Amino acid sequence: MLSYRHIFHAGNFADVFKHALLTRLLSGVSVKEKPYVYLDTHAGIGRYDLTHPWAQKAREYENGIARVWRAKDAPPELEPYLDSVRALNPHGTLRWYPGSPLIARQFMRGDDRMVLVELNKVDYAELKAVFEHERRVAVQLMDAYQALKAYLPPPERRGLVLVDSSFDRTREFDRIVKALKEAHARWSTGMYAVWYPIMEPAPMRDFAADIQRSGIRKVLRLEITVRERDETAIIPGCGMLVVNPPWRFDKEAHPIVEWLAKKLVVSGEGHSQVDWLVPE
Ligand SMILES: C[S@@+](CC[C@H](N)C(=O)[O-])C[C@H]1O[C@@H](n2cnc3c(N)ncnc32)[C@H](O)[C@@H]1O
């Protein structure tokens, strides 16, 4: 039984961070003419109505996309992401927020393909409706980790896999490390982006050490923190691991995460970090 519904969190700081980086990764894979596949293992519903009562419950987007969508001082690398939000809200009022599938859709060229995987039946149905007439978009009701086995390696041998778990089960970090190792064994040249929440220091150290021991090379780690740790369950920040990032992505990610950490900070000082968890 899946209780997590992303609409409660849509457009929050974590979405902004993840989607801003996602656009840079996608523009990196689109540089070469050869077709690629985008596999989204935890796809959600594709498009979020921020006026929906569930999105209104905690109004998390107010400390996220609402702070940045019309910023004039954003680094130029962020423009494609901000443009995709503006395009959904042409009248100047923020109502719609694009999920990862819709963001990825804007990069697709004629022969590229997307596979969108979602395990929640209701969310799956909504996602399927968004991409109903799209021949090159496959929407699957399936477990993320099964999907990694079913779809990798892709026939194109080029592409990006986004693993964006809702972390609503215990030991999700362990599950992700195992799945990433298996996926990488099947397809070592693929690009993988794995989003994660920043939890207590001990599990974060274990996660980093497990990746370092995994045998996977070329792993870039990007993180932001936007609030001080307190007694609430609210995470102070989040991160993304990128395996086989595009050329120069490490350099261009710096100004993006630095700017976001400053814009999205809620308490304390916003911090950002980009480093090679495992070099080449
Ligand atoms: C963080 S949300 C995804 C948001 C989406 N990637 C985006 O950026 O717009 C995580 C999604 O994963 C789904 N989910 C949870 N466990 C899953 C699993 N084992 N396999 C596939 N989907 C799962 C949830 O229903 C939820 O919609």
Side-chain angles (χ1 to χ4, degrees):
M1 170 68 189
L2 288 175
S3 57
Y4 179 93
R5 307 303 293 275
H6 192 63
I7 191 163
F8 285 97
H9 313 286
N12 70 1
F13 83 94
D15 264 7
V16 173
F17 166 84
K18 139 198 354 163
H19 294 150
L21 295 175
L22 178 63
T23 58
R24 301 317 306 163
L25 295 173
L26 287 161
S27 68
V29 247
S30 325
V31 166
K32 287 199 184 139
E33 267 178 32
K34 285 174 81 182
Y36 69 83
V37 68
Y38 168 72
L39 170 61
D40 197 328
T41 60
H42 298 74
I45 62 174
R47 178 167 49 211
Y48 297 85
D49 181 354
L50 300 177
T51 65
H52 189 286
W54 291 355
Q56 285 293 315
K57 198 144 191 237
R59 300 168 70 93
E60 291 189 26
Y61 63 88
E62 283 185 346
N63 285 329
I65 188 60
R67 291 191 182 192
V68 298
W69 78 298
R70 288 202 286 189
K72 300 269 186 290
D73 60 337
E77 295 87 353
L78 263 185
E79 285 304 318
Y81 162 63
L82 297 176
D83 280 346
S84 64
V85 180
R86 292 175 193 138
L88 278 185
N89 300 282
H91 304 301
T93 308
L94 181 62
R95 173 169 184 185
W96 297 99
Y97 185 73
S100 48
L102 217 55
I103 289 177
R105 176 69 188 83
Q106 93 194 49
F107 285 86
M108 254 178 102
R109 304 152 309 174
D111 290 332
D112 299 331
R113 220 163 40 89
M114 305 210 298
V115 181
L116 310 174
V117 176
E118 172 55 53
L119 192 57
N120 182 296
K121 282 197 181 113
V122 180
D123 285 0
Y124 159 77
E126 284 197 43
L127 182 65
K128 193 143 174 81
V130 171
F131 291 97
E132 207 178 354
H133 302 293
E134 306 250 9
R135 205 172 46 87
R136 304 198 66 82
V137 181
V139 182
Q140 305 291 357
L141 178 66
M142 198 186 229
D143 172 68
Y145 304 108
Q146 283 301 115
L148 289 171
K149 294 194 176 108
Y151 296 110
L152 301 185
E156 294 87 347
R157 302 275 162 170
R158 294 192 65 240
L160 170 64
V161 180
L162 175 65
V163 180
D164 183 22
S165 166
S166 35
F167 280 82
D168 49 355
R169 294 182 293 184
T170 51
R171 311 210 63 78
E172 191 65 2
F173 281 110
D174 292 348
R175 197 170 286 122
I176 285 178
V177 174
K178 182 169 178 282
L180 193 60
K181 268 165 71 172
E182 287 172 5
H184 189 266
R186 287 166 176 272
W187 187 36
S188 62
T189 54
M191 195 185 295
Y192 299 86
V194 179
W195 179 89
Y196 58 90
I198 295 184
M199 307 259 192
E200 297 299 315
M204 298 322 295
R205 272 196 302 274
D206 290 348
F207 178 48
D210 287 346
I211 294 288
Q212 284 168 326
R213 272 195 300 264
S214 69
I216 303 172
R217 314 276 325 156
K218 223 176 159 189
V219 186
L220 190 70
R221 172 171 60 182
L222 309 105
E223 291 186 347
I224 56 168
T225 46
V226 295
R227 61 169 76 231
E228 284 171 331
R229 247 179 235 285
D230 56 23
E231 58 294 337
T232 67
I234 303 175
I235 52 168
C238 66
M240 187 181 264
L241 297 184
V242 184
V243 180
N244 297 323
W247 187 60
R248 288 189 57 77
F249 175 76
D250 54 335
K251 305 276 181 303
E252 75 175 35
H254 268 284
I256 295 178
V257 293
E258 252 171 49
W259 187 82
L260 287 177
K262 284 201 188 79
K263 285 282 178 189
L264 300 175
V265 66
V266 172
S267 63
E269 281 176 41
H271 289 290
S272 65
Q273 175 191 323
V274 178
D275 66 346
W276 287 97
L277 181 59
V278 189
E280 201 155 352

